[in-house]
Amino acid sequence: MADESKKWVLMVTAQTPTNIAVIKYWGKRDESLILAVNDSISVTLDPEHLCTTTTVAVSPSFDQDRMWLNGKEFPLSGGRYQRCLKELRSRASDVEVEKKGIKITKKDWENLHVHIASYNNFPTAAGLASSAAGFACLVFSLAKLMNVKEDPGKLSAIARQGSGSACRSLYGGFVKWVMGKNDNGSDSIAVQLADEKHWDDLVIVIAVVSSRQKETSSTTGMRDSIETSVLLQHRAKEVVPKRIVQMEEAIKNLDFPSFARLTCADSNQFHAVCLDTSPPIFYMNDTSHRIISCVEKWNRSEGSPQVAYTFDAGPNAVLVAKNRKAAALLLQRLLFLFPPQSDADLSSYVLGDKSILQDAGVKDMKDVEALSPPPEIKNNNPLQKYKGDISYFICTRPGRGPVLLSDESQALLNSETGFPK
Ligand code: DP6
């Protein structure tokens, strides 16, 4: 190993996207290896709007593995972190940086400690899948630091052991997590179905729903479902295999009506499984149900789907619009039904790609107040609005997979000390 007295620090920074499942993963056949009972398919979301940035560092001066999440120290003692670290260490290779006089051999990695700092560019409290981007970024960045010579598929199998949905964040675009058959999980990996440019008409609007309720974690929820839901067994054996084939076809053919039908049906069935669990799990709330009803009515009145909805283990809606025009019309409807609190300004209510607001003809709060009711719900009298029931919207699109950030100003750890900046 290099001269200990030099106390060098070697760092890597990476950025990894989050993803939203359109065919859901719910239920494990192996809890510790995180092996799913069915395949799942997701869309990777544009990291410009939702992503995790992680810096990992190694130095002979570190006396233990440590991690900081959004600036606060976070214990790395959990089994899932330990498993990912162990898998990566066992695959590490020699690293040599002549300029800095650093030479690390494959064997050195067993004794060297790492520092990890991670930051989400979206509020963690929003209940958006942060563990997917988080574990994917941890695995991707450590693999680079440790010179792990594995393809993204193999890395996805490591990220999977941190959090199931994380394996799908190793790729951009449209991704399938193949459940696999092997007991050791070696064939339970993510594969890319199509990259983010394949279907770039799609626009994604996330409605972050106000909620005070503490939700059941996905891990606990799916454990209860596996133990008690008969519907889950039927879904995994009979329903999902057919849907996976149909969804792959729909994505390949840019067939939005099929994509939307399958996405909505699968979200609804996942929530039906939650209700079929004992005790029942309620992830959606009244606001979620109102959003579903708004989309269903509009889609029906148009004669073909304009927007698909999907909900994970929480009340937030992820809405996939077939194109920019549909996204603008969707935003008009949602802003009409769910105006922000009176003191909120529009720029902090609609985040992400704000150009959709322009398309919707909404520049400021006055425009929001002047919106007319969607024609398909005009007959509802009196027409109710639900002010403040949505915290904010994020407009985004399908996005790319993980990337390395070479600019040191983007690193979260100090390059001299290896501690958070
Ligand atoms: C509803 O990946 O968070 O978002 O594997 O226990 O960490 P663990 O669960 P997690 O579950 C995600 C469930 C879901 C559906 C999905 O993303 O496919």
Side-chain angles (χ1 to χ4, degrees):
M1 198 191 302
D3 182 1
E4 287 268 335
S5 66
K6 284 194 179 161
K7 299 287 182 249
W8 48 263
V9 176
L10 185 64
M11 283 191 343
V12 165
T13 300
Q15 189 190 58
T16 302
T18 185
N19 70 77
I20 178 71
V22 288
I23 301 292
K24 305 288 184 196
Y25 145 54
W26 197 251
K28 299 180 182 74
R29 62 184 167 93
D30 184 311
E31 276 261 350
S32 59
L33 287 171
I34 310 197
L35 301 176
V37 291
N38 57 257
D39 293 352
S40 54
I41 293 180
S42 61
V43 181
T44 299
L45 304 180
D46 189 343
E48 196 188 320
H49 307 125
L50 292 153
C51 73
T52 297
T53 302
T54 300
T55 300
V56 290
V58 60
S59 168
S61 66
F62 299 165
D63 55 6
Q64 53 173 315
D65 294 334
R66 293 177 76 175
M67 178 160 81
W68 293 265
L69 254 184
N70 295 323
K72 264 184 72 183
E73 182 144 22
F74 189 89
L76 262 176
S77 51
R80 291 173 173 213
Y81 288 102
Q82 289 305 318
R83 187 158 297 122
C84 289
L85 284 169
K86 191 168 155 228
E87 292 282 337
L88 289 161
R89 278 196 169 104
S90 73
R91 291 170 170 81
S93 312
D94 298 353
V95 173
E96 197 170 346
V97 185
E98 260 178 54
K99 270 209 312 250
K100 293 190 173 183
I102 302 174
K103 196 164 191 258
I104 310 171
T105 67
K106 187 173 166 52
K107 202 151 174 21
D108 291 335
W109 284 109
E110 286 166 26
N111 304 313
L112 283 166
H113 294 289
V114 291
H115 282 182
I116 302 161
S118 227
Y119 170 80
N120 297 327
N121 73 346
F122 54 94
T124 321
L128 301 165
S130 53
S131 70
F135 272 107
C137 210
L138 179 115
V139 169
F140 182 79
S141 53
L142 280 174
K144 292 288 171 208
L145 181 77
M146 296 178 172
N147 194 15
V148 172
K149 294 174 178 138
E150 302 277 21
D151 57 39
K154 290 262 168 52
L155 290 186
S156 80
I158 302 177
R160 188 202 74 229
Q161 297 176 58
S163 183
S165 53
C167 74
R168 299 184 311 237
S169 273
L170 262 304
Y171 293 101
F174 300 81
V175 185
K176 172 158 89 161
W177 169 12
V178 185
M179 62 180 279
K181 289 194 186 75
N182 300 346
D183 287 343
N184 68 3
S186 58
D187 57 350
S188 185
I189 58 165
V191 293
Q192 188 181 49
L193 298 175
D195 71 16
E196 62 278 17
K197 290 183 209 85
H198 168 70
W199 200 346
D200 59 2
D201 277 354
L202 299 183
V203 176
I204 298 165
V205 178
I206 303 170
V208 177
V209 171
S210 317
S211 157
R212 260 160 280 121
Q213 198 186 315
K214 172 88 191 88
E215 282 124 28
T216 313
S217 77
S218 304
T219 308
T220 312
M222 67 177 89
R223 187 180 301 139
D224 290 350
S225 295
I226 276 283
E227 281 167 11
T228 63
S229 170
V230 187
L231 180 56
L232 182 145
Q233 305 301 332
H234 171 70
R235 165 179 164 73
K237 280 198 194 68
E238 306 293 336
V239 183
V240 177
K242 293 188 191 96
R243 278 192 186 153
I244 290 280
V245 175
Q246 292 167 348
M247 183 58 97
E248 285 192 56
E249 266 310 287
I251 292 170
K252 195 172 103 199
N253 301 325
L254 312 181
D255 171 0
F256 190 77
S258 301
F259 175 86
R261 186 179 52 77
L262 291 162
T263 298
C264 298
D266 204 69
S267 172
N268 290 333
Q269 188 174 68
F270 152 52
H271 290 277
V273 166
C274 292
L275 283 182
D276 190 47
T277 299
S278 175
I281 312 165
F282 309 97
Y283 284 127
M284 294 195 283
N285 64 16
D286 287 354
T287 310
S288 320
H289 294 148
R290 284 188 189 110
I291 296 172
I292 293 182
S293 159
C294 164
V295 171
E296 288 281 356
K297 279 189 192 132
W298 181 34
N299 282 346
R300 219 166 313 131
S301 76
E302 292 285 342
S304 73
Q306 307 298 302
V307 172
Y309 55 81
T310 185
F311 296 77
D312 274 349
N316 300 333
V318 179
L319 303 156
V320 186
K322 73 171 185 182
N323 52 32
R324 286 185 68 93
K325 186 168 167 233
L329 293 170
L330 169 70
L331 210 51
Q332 285 178 353
R333 282 167 168 80
L334 294 173
L335 287 171
F336 174 84
L337 284 174
F338 304 101
Q341 296 286 16
S342 359
D343 55 345
D345 68 304
L346 193 60
S347 65
S348 55
Y349 195 51
V350 180
L351 309 174
D353 179 2
K354 291 180 196 281
S355 67
I356 306 289
L357 268 178
Q358 278 159 31
D359 291 14
V362 178
K363 289 185 301 300
D364 49 33
M365 285 303 293
K366 275 206 205 75
D367 293 335
V368 173
E369 279 149 30
L371 284 167
S372 23
E376 68 277 6
I377 57 167
K378 239 181 191 159
N379 298 335
N380 284 12
N381 213 2
L383 210 121
Q384 224 187 319
K385 294 192 178 197
Y386 303 93
K387 198 178 219 168
D389 283 3
I390 287 182
S391 303
Y392 54 90
F393 295 101
I394 305 171
C395 297
T396 185
R397 61 181 92 82
R400 64 163 192 229
V403 289
L404 285 178
L405 303 178
S406 49
D407 185 351
E408 215 176 276
S409 68
Q410 288 166 296
L412 303 172
L413 296 170
N414 181 306
S415 60
E416 309 267 295
T417 64
F419 278 82
K421 278 182 175 170

